[in-house]
Amino acid sequence: MSPGPLAILRETFGYPAFRGPQEEIVDHVVAGHDALVLMPTGGGKSLCFQIPSLLRRGTGVVVSPLIALMQDQVAALTLLGVRAAFLNSSQDAEMARHVERALLAGDLDVLYVAPERLTTPRCLDLLSKTRLALFAIDEAHCVSQWGHDFRPEYLQLSVLHERFPGVPRIALTATADPQTRTEIAARLALQDARVFVSSFDRPNIRYTIVDKTDSSRAQLLRFIREEHAGEAGIVYCLSRRKVDETAAWLEGQGINALAYHAGMEGGIRTANQARFQCEEGVVMVATIAFGMGIDKPDVRFVAHLDLPKSMEGYYQETGRAGRDGLPADAWMAYGLGDLVLQRRLIEQSEASEEFKRVSGAKLDALLGLCETAGCRRVRLLGYFGEDSRPCGNCDTCLEPPQTWDATEEARKALSAIYRTGQRFGAVHLIDVLRGKAGERISRWDHDKLGVFGIGADVDETSWRSVFRQLVALGYAHVDHEAHGALKLSADSRAVLKGERSVEMRRVVARSKPVAGVRASVAAALSGDEVGLFERLKAWRGAEARSQSVPAYVVLHDSTLAQIARDRPRDLDALAGIGGIGAKKLEKYGPALLELVGAA
Ligand code: ADP
Ligand code: ZN
């Protein structure tokens, strides 16, 4: 009898059990049916097509838009003893012919193909001469014309169904919204496919949103140093200039930081991405151009120095942390300036009024997440239609924010806006309230106003938070025509007249996430274990370099951490560690046992 899915999971991949819906999906595809799989990043989508490719006769063809990712996946599969190859534009004609011959000879379990290559008559012809186990369409949301990962070549993929009606297809994506799901099913002719929807929760990610101070860079630096020294992370900034400046500044502070954005010279950009992928502990400072296709599993934190556009963006970007399931941080510094800027980008865009309205609503949902006194995760999942309980692993759960009655301060702030003619931004208004004399103040005679100095008892940080929350709550709005001046809104009156009270979140001067689970892998180990973990990492680094693959392709952090904790005494014990399959046991077993001190 040939081995079943579980035997392959254990023997080849070295994992003891399937996760969530994996087993059901594998059975479904092995039986020859179509599937549409919605699973969050890090959920374990790859096994859903890799194992059926091994179990069904013929080659499993995987469509993937990302060339760098293909190479890593093929390298990783090869190390597991799976016969895998890829066809894409990065290889020369000779290499491609070699792969084609192997395919025709039935020597491949899995073949990764770029979509533009797959849909050529030549490639389709080649496939028609081959026995095919299945088609897997990875990153299937690329068919969606509304999403920002749209790839026109993906629209051609319905040809697979027409040319190869008997071959099962499995489409996979980490995009959660129902609209995209419907679009995928329609465009790939998967209406009859069974849909598998997983929870989109990423329990290992700890969410933290802090109030921006004068120097968000310094807040970031403290966060990296105290929580993630020497670990890999991504820092998102809105503009290319800020990316360059932040990367250079972090580097000057001794952080191993690189930059990435679409305006850079192509060669440098590619080199930086490769270093991030292969080296350990690189911090990538990037615009959201650095996004899809980063499947580095050991990204320990994603930090936002600027507010994303929407909940979708926030979820997707933070989702790049902790794919390996180990603790990771999603950290964001947020302030009034972010809110002003994002609103302006929407208002000043060339888009239709309808599009602006939708964008505004999406931004509001994200502001709701920033300002909430409740669980961040409940908000986030709720936005995607998923019910959940307070998580215990976000800043508001770990240290519930205090709310306070800010009615008096709100009235003072709104009066300041009104008395100065609704022509000034928060910085100037705070000077007025705090009675801070200066050239601009005297030029406008603002020191002669009744509101001058009425808020001297409240510090600047708190005033900033008051103004921010007034805007977020809709009691004031930002006029972009007038360079970000604050104006009263329809709701201001009730507050000014004392008819409505205002509750606000109290600012907490906090740079780092509150306790709870520490998101550093080494921190979860004891003193002795950390030493061994570091030695294992050093060995892995040398091994990765000699094979020219990223370190995580050799072994994951989680595997090394488990070895450091359990100190397996022999090959049998080592085989019981997650991530050590038969091939890796044979290849690395002796070296690992020696490092543990068992050999
Ligand atoms: P996705 O493509 O959904 O983002 P991957 O397929 O890359 O996720 O898997 C994420 C991580 O989880 C990988 O490191 C993978 O090896 C690991 N993984 C997947 N399935 C299992 C499992 N059943 N048991 C243990 N680890 C798993
Ligand atoms: Zn929570």
Side-chain angles (χ1 to χ4, degrees), residues 374-378 389-398:
C375 172
R376 309 264 192 214
R377 195 178 311 269
V378 166
R389 318 269 324 133
C391 71
N393 192 29
C394 72
D395 55 352
T396 50
C397 277
L398 290 164

Side-chain angles (χ1 to χ4, degrees), residues 446-461:
H446 285 167
D447 44 0
K448 310 226 161 59
L449 296 174
V451 288
F452 187 73
I454 55 167
D457 54 328
V458 175
D459 66 22
E460 204 178 307
T461 314

